[in-house]
Amino acid sequence: MACACAVCVAWFSLLAAAAQDCGSESDVEMSGVNFLQMNAASLAPATQGEQCLRFMHIPKTGGTSIDSANMHLPAGQRAFDSLMLETFLRVQAHTGGVEDLGQLYDDVHHGVLTYGIFMAEHMSDYRWLPEDAEDKCEDLHTPPSRSSDIALYYQEPGCTNFCVVREPLARFFSAFKMTNQECDPLSIESKALELLSQLNSRPYLSDCFFMPQVLSVYGVFNKSSATHQYCHRILHTENLDREFADLMKEFGHELQLPADDLMSTWTDHCNITLDELTPTTKAAVYEKYKADYEAFGYPKPSF
Ligand SMILES: *[C@@H]1O[C@H](CO)[C@@H](O)[C@H](O)[C@H]1NC(C)=O
Ligand SMILES: *[C@@H]1O[C@H](CO)[C@@H](O)[C@H](O)[C@H]1NC(C)=O
């Protein structure tokens, strides 16, 4: 049952209750066609009729800051389109009086609880895909392989898509901290092994937070079987400020990332470093995300 979510913490429990089949979903869902038309209609002002640029948000790689920078630009002058922007434009349209989209976005992202409550309040403005599946994800986390709406969105002729990838162990641990309270190396090890094994049969659990990055970029679990590259310009979390500013410049925008990490407080209940993780944890994560290590050229971590 999709709403059995006793192990989820913080915002996932709110989300699960509100989104994952627990109640009526008739007014939450839109047909794929409406959904795409809506995107097409709202795209025009974002791209100024010039170069079409779209941002693909791979969870836990720095995407929240990227969307924040863009939303702080005035309507009609935004540098790119994204499914997160579409979501917040829907929220804005339904929230009388909110003029500064960037401010709204930053305010609600400052704390895990704040965001959980906000999301629950605005659940009908979020889209969960695929419509009838277990372990639905927000549209912006959904890989193109799992939804034709998403695949089409990232195949719009004339559009360049960009995304950010991250060292897989760092990304895994960041997502782990957001969804688990364990914070000593041995407890983390046992919970992580359990989670990694669960992911074998449920790769999309927890709003797609633990999904391999190749699935978003190439739509497959191993780059060697890819037939299409959905994210054309791949940036790296490790050098994001610079790579992001350079890409924006190339597309004619002066835009920098915000200095503060909007979501740092979401995981600061646990300050253990990657080095402190047990060799068993590191080896298991490496095995699980080997396809990401191969596809994006990250060196094997030492363990
Ligand atoms: C982790 O570090 C952050 C930032 O330095 C700090 O605010 C937080 O209290 C720390 N958390 C723990 C559990 O020590
Ligand atoms: C991906 O496919 C290639 C070629 O078949 C293979 O050598 C590699 O081991 C695969 N990677 C993973 C992680 O399965």
Side-chain angles (χ1 to χ4, degrees), residues 221-225 286-294:
F221 282 93
N222 185 329
K223 182 184 171 186
S224 70
S225 53
Y286 173 69
E287 280 306 317
K288 178 77 194 166
Y289 294 98
K290 217 172 195 172
D292 281 353
Y293 279 98
E294 291 169 2

Side-chain angles (χ1 to χ4, degrees), residues 252-300:
H253 303 283
E254 283 295 330
L255 187 58
Q256 310 238 333
L257 290 183
D260 293 334
D261 174 2
L262 276 179
M263 290 165 68
S264 60
T265 65
W266 292 41
T267 50
D268 73 6
H269 64 274
C270 180
N271 289 332
I272 283 193
T273 64
L274 295 180
D275 284 344
E276 294 173 84
L277 297 176
T278 66
T280 305
T281 304
K282 290 191 224 180
V285 172
Y286 173 69
E287 280 306 317
K288 178 77 194 166
Y289 294 98
K290 217 172 195 172
D292 281 353
Y293 279 98
E294 291 169 2
F296 306 115
Y298 286 103
K300 178 179 173 177

Side-chain angles (χ1 to χ4, degrees), residues 23-59:
S24 155
E25 54 187 302
S26 53
D27 54 355
V28 175
E29 306 278 352
M30 284 176 87
S31 78
V33 172
N34 285 341
F35 167 57
L36 286 172
Q37 281 168 347
M38 191 160 164
N39 279 318
S42 51
L43 188 74
T47 56
Q48 300 276 308
E50 292 172 11
Q51 285 161 298
C52 168
L53 195 56
R54 287 185 175 178
F55 172 53
M56 169 192 277
H57 183 136
I58 300 176

Side-chain angles (χ1 to χ4, degrees), residues 101-180:
L101 197 60
Q103 193 61 49
L104 172 70
Y105 184 76
D106 290 0
D107 286 348
V108 302
H109 272 89
H110 270 303
V112 64
L113 193 57
T114 316
Y115 194 60
I117 292 168
F118 175 85
M119 237 182 158
E121 274 174 5
H122 297 279
M123 194 49 76
S124 63
D125 294 321
Y126 285 79
R127 309 254 174 267
W128 296 86
L129 297 171
E131 290 187 15
D132 299 319
E134 297 276 311
D135 292 333
K136 288 192 224 299
C137 301
E138 282 175 72
D139 57 359
L140 58 112
H141 290 170
T142 300
S145 53
R146 209 181 176 214
S147 155
S148 55
D149 289 351
I150 298 300
L152 286 170
Y153 179 75
Y154 291 117
Q155 291 180 90
E156 182 86 18
C159 284
T160 302
N161 309 322
F162 72 103
C163 63
V164 185
V165 299
R166 181 176 186 180
E167 197 283 318
L169 178 62
R171 174 173 174 261
F172 172 84
F173 192 44
S174 175
F176 180 91
K177 286 191 289 187
M178 250 182 80
T179 51
N180 296 275

Side-chain angles (χ1 to χ4, degrees), residues 67-74 78 100-106 258:
D67 272 314
S68 168
N70 194 39
M71 285 189 214
H72 277 282
L73 297 173
R78 299 212 165 95
D100 188 335
L101 197 60
Q103 193 61 49
L104 172 70
Y105 184 76
D106 290 0

